[in-house]
């Protein structure tokens, strides 16, 4: 009995020593980890890591890359300031004065990278393609980090449940300039975004769903030009749209949109004072749009159809076989809206209503139950404009009966 008691006491002493050692090791690891975290969070350490990384990337790509400052929060915030990169022609590829990315750490436990917010300020992006082969001016960056071993073919995993998800909750752009010159495919884009705020409801690339609760745009200037490119390739892509896009509400203020199609002879110029849309359903796959309200204030739309040379039309059967769009609008409210349309393929007429050369000025218009189903049916009910009544009528083309 005495021997058993002594053995027990020795075991307890040994366990206490082991526990004390483990405790010291744990405390040591915590201290080391804390020092490491504090060190990484210091400006000198972060800038040291940044400059080493920038030097490696610049040497790898043989271009100029710079980053003024980087801040890493406690594993949930990344802030970049003064990011600059050139292309091989020593032209600016991107300059971002400030980029803030906030990450939801808890989402990693569910095999999902969820970005709480992305904020981009005072940024310029310039993209261009090679006129001969269509390669973008950032192709050198992809080639520099591409695997040199091209013999091995990686198999695409078939188990989608094992793949990681990716999501974004909020996106905010402020004073962002984007330019793209694509002489190979025949498209130029020049846009400046004063302020863009998107609150996303669903962002699931695996399920191909992108839907926003709200989209707010302020001071947007967008120019899109289409022209004959150098490409001689004919696209064989006959796949249908599979992504689901949508937004519950859209607001656009003080914006201008210009669209020019040299091949189709279309010149569209839009000036938007205020546009507010409340959406019930937005289904691009089945070509159905159901809007609760559309409000347009202090806006102008100029549409010009220029004379174009006859050209070969391809894939007419596919175009004619496509189904008509189905559009329903519950309530329309227009104030101070101007619409001008000119078809320069048709000579103006001296008398009567010239539907090829129209100018419409609406100081105030309210309508309900607007229905559109291609050339089959256009209905406008219960509308008033400056005290005049628009009686229920089928409209083809759109015809106001006062």
């Amino acid at each position: 009995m005495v021997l058993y008691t002594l053995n027990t006491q020795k075991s307890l002493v040994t366990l206490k020593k082991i526990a004390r050692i483990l405790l010291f090791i744990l405390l040591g690891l915590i201290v080391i980890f804390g020092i490491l975290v504090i060190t990484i969070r210091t400006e000198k350490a972060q800038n040291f890591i940044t400059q080493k990384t920038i030097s490696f990337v610049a040497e790898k790509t043989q271009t100029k890359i710079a980053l003024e400052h980087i801040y890493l929060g406690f594993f949930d915030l990344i802030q970049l300031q003064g990011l600059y990169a050139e292309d091989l022609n020593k032209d600016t590829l991107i300059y971002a004065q400030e980029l803030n990315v906030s990450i939801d750490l808890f989402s990693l436990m569910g095999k999902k990278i969820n970005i709480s917010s992305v904020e981009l300020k005072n940024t310029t992006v310039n993209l261009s393609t090679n006129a001969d082969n269509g390669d973008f001016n950032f192709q050198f960056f992809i080639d520099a980090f591409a695997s040199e071993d091209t013999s091995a073919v990686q198999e695409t995993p078939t188990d989608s449940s094992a793949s990681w998800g990716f999501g974004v909750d909020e996106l905010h752009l402020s004073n962002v300039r984007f330019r793209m010159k694509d002489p190979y495919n025949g498209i130029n884009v020049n846009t400046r975004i004063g302020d863009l705020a998107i609150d996303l409801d669903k962002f699931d690339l695996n399920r191909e769903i992108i839907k926003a609760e709200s989209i707010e745009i302020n001071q947007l200037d967008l120019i899109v030009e289409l022209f004959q490119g150098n490409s001689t390739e004919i696209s064989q892509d006959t796949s249908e749209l599979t992504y689901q896009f949508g937004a519950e509400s859209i607001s656009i203020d003080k914006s201008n949109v210009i669209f020019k199609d040299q091949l189709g002879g279309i010149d569209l110029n839009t000036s938007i004072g205020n546009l507010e849309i409340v959406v019930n359903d937005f289904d691009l796959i089945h070509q159905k749009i159901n809007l609760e309200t559309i409000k347009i204030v202090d806006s102008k739309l100029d549409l010009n159809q220029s004379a174009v040379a006859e050209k070969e039309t391809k894939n007419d059967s596919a175009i004619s076989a496509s189904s008509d769009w189905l559009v329903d609008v519950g309530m329309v409210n227009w104030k101070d809206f101007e619409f001008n349309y000119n078809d320069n393929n048709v000579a103006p007429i001296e008398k009567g209503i010239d539907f090829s050369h129209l100018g419409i000025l609406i100081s105030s218009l309210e309508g309900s139950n607007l229905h559109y189903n291609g050339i089959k049916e256009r209905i406008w009910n219960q509308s008033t404009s400056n005290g005049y009544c628009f009686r229920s009528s089928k409209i083809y083309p759109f015809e106001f009966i006062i």
Side-chain angles (χ1 to χ4, degrees):
M1 186 69 178
V2 175
L3 182 60
Y4 177 77
T5 303
L6 291 175
N7 289 335
T8 303
Q9 290 177 349
K10 288 181 180 180
S11 300
L12 290 175
V13 171
T14 304
L15 290 175
K16 288 181 180 181
K17 288 182 179 180
I18 295 175
R20 194 177 293 112
I21 293 172
L22 292 176
L23 180 60
F24 282 131
I25 294 174
L26 180 60
L27 290 175
L29 291 175
I30 293 175
V31 171
I32 294 173
F33 180 76
I35 294 174
L36 180 62
V37 170
I38 293 173
T39 302
I40 292 177
R41 287 172 60 89
T42 61
E43 184 175 354
K44 288 185 178 181
Q46 292 180 1
N47 286 333
F48 174 79
I49 297 173
T50 298
Q51 296 308 319
K52 288 294 184 181
T53 304
I54 291 298
S55 299
F56 170 77
V57 175
E59 183 179 355
K60 189 77 173 177
T61 59
Q62 295 299 305
T63 56
K64 181 179 179 180
I65 299 176
L67 182 62
E68 295 177 3
H69 179 72
I70 183 172
Y71 173 78
L72 302 176
F74 193 70
F75 302 108
D76 63 347
L77 176 64
I78 301 175
Q79 183 183 77
L80 304 180
Q81 293 180 348
L83 174 63
Y84 175 82
E86 291 182 348
D87 61 16
L88 294 178
N89 295 321
K90 299 187 181 303
D91 295 325
T92 300
L93 181 62
I94 182 174
Y95 172 75
Q97 186 183 72
E98 185 174 338
L99 171 63
N100 299 315
V101 179
S102 180
I103 302 174
D104 181 7
L105 286 179
F106 293 101
S107 64
L108 300 176
M109 301 176 63
K111 299 188 66 176
K112 181 179 180 181
I113 302 174
N114 190 71
I115 298 178
S116 302
S117 64
V118 177
E119 185 178 20
L120 187 62
K121 298 180 180 180
N122 303 324
T123 298
T124 298
V125 179
N126 295 311
L127 301 183
S128 61
T129 61
N130 186 299
D132 297 325
N133 56 28
D135 288 345
F136 275 95
N137 57 339
F138 57 78
Q139 183 63 41
F140 72 95
F141 195 88
I142 299 175
D143 295 339
F145 292 94
S147 175
E148 297 179 359
D149 184 9
T150 58
S151 60
V153 179
Q154 296 182 353
E155 297 182 358
T156 303
T158 57
D159 185 7
S160 59
S161 63
S163 61
W164 279 69
F166 179 78
V168 180
D169 294 336
E170 296 179 2
L171 176 65
H172 188 197
L173 307 182
S174 178
N175 191 26
V176 174
R177 187 74 178 265
F178 174 81
R179 302 184 188 93
M180 184 182 73
K181 294 183 178 180
D182 187 358
Y184 186 77
N185 295 298
I187 179 172
N188 289 338
V189 178
N190 190 344
T191 182
R192 187 191 72 83
I193 301 173
D195 192 83
L196 169 64
I198 301 178
D199 188 359
L200 289 160
D201 180 36
K202 294 181 180 179
F203 190 94
D204 192 333
L205 298 181
N206 292 332
R207 297 172 57 191
E208 299 183 341
I209 299 175
I210 301 177
K211 293 186 177 181
E213 290 186 6
S214 64
I215 300 176
E216 298 178 0
I217 303 173
N218 189 27
Q219 295 181 333
L220 167 70
D221 292 310
L222 172 63
I223 301 175
V224 178
E225 296 177 300
L226 303 181
F227 54 93
Q228 181 63 54
N230 296 334
S231 174
T232 57
E233 301 176 1
I234 299 177
S235 176
Q236 302 294 330
D237 186 9
T238 58
S239 59
E240 297 181 354
L241 178 68
T242 57
Y243 269 87
Q244 300 179 46
F245 297 97
E248 295 182 8
S249 65
I250 302 173
S251 175
I252 303 176
D253 294 291
K254 300 177 182 179
S255 299
N256 300 284
V257 177
I258 296 175
F259 175 78
K260 296 182 179 181
D261 183 0
Q262 294 182 9
L263 301 179
I266 297 176
D267 190 341
L268 176 67
N269 193 326
T270 303
S271 175
I272 301 173
N274 173 253
L275 171 63
E276 297 180 6
I277 301 174
V278 179
V279 183
N280 290 328
D281 186 27
F282 192 83
D283 189 348
L284 294 179
I285 297 177
H286 300 96
Q287 296 180 307
K288 295 179 180 180
I289 297 177
N290 189 307
L291 307 180
E292 183 175 333
T293 59
I294 295 181
K295 179 182 177 182
I296 304 176
V297 179
D298 191 21
S299 300
K300 181 180 180 181
L301 190 151
D302 294 326
L303 176 60
N304 294 288
Q305 177 70 57
S306 303
V308 294
E310 293 185 2
K311 54 182 181 294
E312 182 182 357
T313 303
K314 300 179 182 180
N315 203 19
D316 285 340
S317 59
I319 297 175
S320 61
S322 62
S323 59
D324 293 319
W325 282 83
L326 178 62
V327 180
D328 288 287
V329 182
M331 183 67 67
V332 174
N333 188 341
W334 290 354
K335 291 183 180 179
D336 298 328
F337 177 77
E338 181 179 350
F339 172 74
N340 298 299
Y341 170 71
N342 286 289
D343 186 350
N344 296 313
N345 296 292
V346 180
I349 60 176
E350 296 182 359
K351 296 182 180 180
I353 299 177
D354 189 350
F355 288 101
S356 297
H357 305 275
L358 286 175
I360 301 175
L361 180 61
I362 300 174
S363 59
S364 178
L365 184 147
E366 294 183 359
S368 63
N369 302 327
L370 174 63
H371 176 76
Y372 172 87
N373 189 12
I375 63 172
K376 300 176 184 177
E377 192 175 37
R378 296 169 171 87
I379 299 177
W380 179 292
N381 294 327
Q382 303 172 359
S383 301
T384 59
S385 174
N386 290 335
Y388 294 98
C389 178
F390 288 78
R391 300 185 182 277
S392 175
S393 61
K394 286 184 182 282
I395 303 169
Y396 178 71
F398 287 102
E399 178 184 2
F400 295 144
I401 300 176
I402 301 177

